[in-house]
Amino acid sequence: MSQDSAQRGNDCADRAAGPLALETALAQLLAAAAPVAERESVLTDQALRRVLAASVVSPTPIPGWDNSAMDGYALRTADVAEPGRRLQVGQRISAGATGVALAPGTAARIFTGAPVPPGADAVAVQEACEQSGDWVQVNAAVRAGDNIRRAGEEIAAGQEVLSAGTRLAPQHLALAAAVGAAELPVYRRVRVAIFSTGDELVMPGQPLAPGQIYNSNRFQLRALLETIGCEVLDLGIVADRRQDTIEALTRGASAADLILASGGVSVGEEDHVKPAIEQLGRLELWRLAIRPGKPLAFGHVGGTPVIGSPGNPVALFIVFSLLVRPFILRRQGVCGDVMPSPIWGEAGFDWPRPDKRREFVRARLERQPSGAPRVHVYSSRSSAMLSSLVWAEGLAVIPEGQALAAGDPVQYIPFSELLA
Ligand code: AMP
Ligand code: MG
């Protein structure tokens, strides 16, 4: 990070500076998110959701030769100047076979994907033809080029088909395979160390003593990270003590590309993440103008970035979606946009008392009879309620300080934008 931005970071850590706009925080985070340096080669069928570290180039044209787009008859259009002409069927070419040059006045029975024989300039679809014995009558007009996929019409030899920085989805793997790539160069997986702070936390499977709750954040975090293809190093539950927090941060810093902590980032005397980061390294920002998710610690310990999220499970989900995920995608090597794309819908609710911070509200989309999307929000704003996240299918974005009435346009981020 440059001196300028480090200086800006210190200003942001200053309480007097006020909460930071989401865009400013994101810009700061992404500026510190260089792709991991190491690359490896993986089998193409193991490369789903990995990020290409180099472009993929096709060694050959695709298609490799002129081939038939349909089942039918390859012919010379000059031989069928008007519909109803009859041609002798001199050969049969199925996919995987090759034919011979087409003699004038003859046709070749041909199937989809089979090479068009030299001399033929079109394929008549079988539905337009009647074959009896060795003869075929062509009943429709055929123009030169009909139903022929030309050599190289999709991809030229030497052409780049996938660019570095692409996160590989099924269609990318298919295209890589189509140009013959058995292995792909990818960035190594990003390793994330996670821990959950809180003296009240107990793992499912253990009995709960009074005052204790189950550690759900560990499961949420782990699954969110695995969804985007990270390796997870779980440092478990960390007690609300400075020394324990320091030890967890130190372990994470030596083993991971990112440390992700939940809880303990407010300024209460039980909140040790922020002071522990300050003691070990540097804290770059810690208050965001978003709701939920206002306290958020971002800093570095021994060169390893650390993000401390609020412990409330919904706040954790939102901080992950809006900040951690984009940061990790960049570290994974993803080029291009790493932010979720909202869509516009119509508010199916009133929002008369807006917050000073931008709010991300658990929401669902319903299609009206016209097909227009209408956004509904969950009845409670509490960021402790996990059931609200299960009810929701996305997040409505309420701009800072802006009241909304039913029918107003509102942005909606579907979970499909976040959980992939
Ligand atoms: P904190 O950010 O540590 O002040 O925690 C805020 C709220 O989130 C408290 O009600 C905590 O009990 C709860 N919380 C913190 N960590 C977890 C966790 N790992 N699983 C579930 N709830 C948590
Ligand atoms: Mg706590």
Side-chain angles (χ1 to χ4, degrees), residues 58-59 94 111 124 146 155 174 193 210 216 233 237 243:
S58 180
S94 53
F111 298 89
D146 278 1
I155 295 161
S216 64
L233 173 66
I237 295 171
Q243 194 48 39

Side-chain angles (χ1 to χ4, degrees), residues 26 28-34 190 257-258 298 300 305-307 320 322-333 338:
L26 251 176
Q28 207 168 318
L29 244 71
L30 294 183
V190 168
D257 303 304
L258 169 67
F298 174 67
H300 284 82
V306 189
I307 300 178
F320 187 92
L322 300 176
L323 294 137
V324 179
R325 181 176 178 278
F327 179 86
I328 291 176
L329 293 181
R330 274 279 186 275
R331 291 229 68 187
Q332 289 176 328
V338 288

Side-chain angles (χ1 to χ4, degrees), residues 197-198 200 240 263-264 270-271:
T197 70
E200 73 279 32
D240 286 321
E270 299 288 350
D271 295 309

Side-chain angles (χ1 to χ4, degrees), residues 173-200:
L173 301 187
L175 182 55
V179 304
E183 296 185 0
L184 293 172
V186 296
Y187 290 102
R188 76 158 165 78
R189 285 185 193 279
V190 168
R191 185 180 303 149
V192 183
I194 61 172
F195 63 87
S196 319
T197 70
D199 287 342
E200 73 279 32

Side-chain angles (χ1 to χ4, degrees), residues 197-201 238 240 262-266 270-272 310-312:
T197 70
D199 287 342
E200 73 279 32
L201 303 176
V238 171
D240 286 321
S262 99
V265 286
S266 304
E270 299 288 350
D271 295 309
H272 299 286
N312 266 317

Side-chain angles (χ1 to χ4, degrees), residues 2 13-14 23 26 55 80 89 102 116 138 146 161 178 196 227 237 260 265 298 337 359 375 385 394 400 413 416:
S2 71
D14 174 0
E23 288 73 16
L26 251 176
S55 60
V80 289
V89 181
L102 194 73
V116 173
V138 180
D146 278 1
V161 293
S196 319
T227 299
I237 295 171
L260 198 44
V265 286
F298 174 67
D337 201 7
E359 284 202 61
V375 178
M385 292 186 184
E400 39 280 70
I413 305 171
S416 55

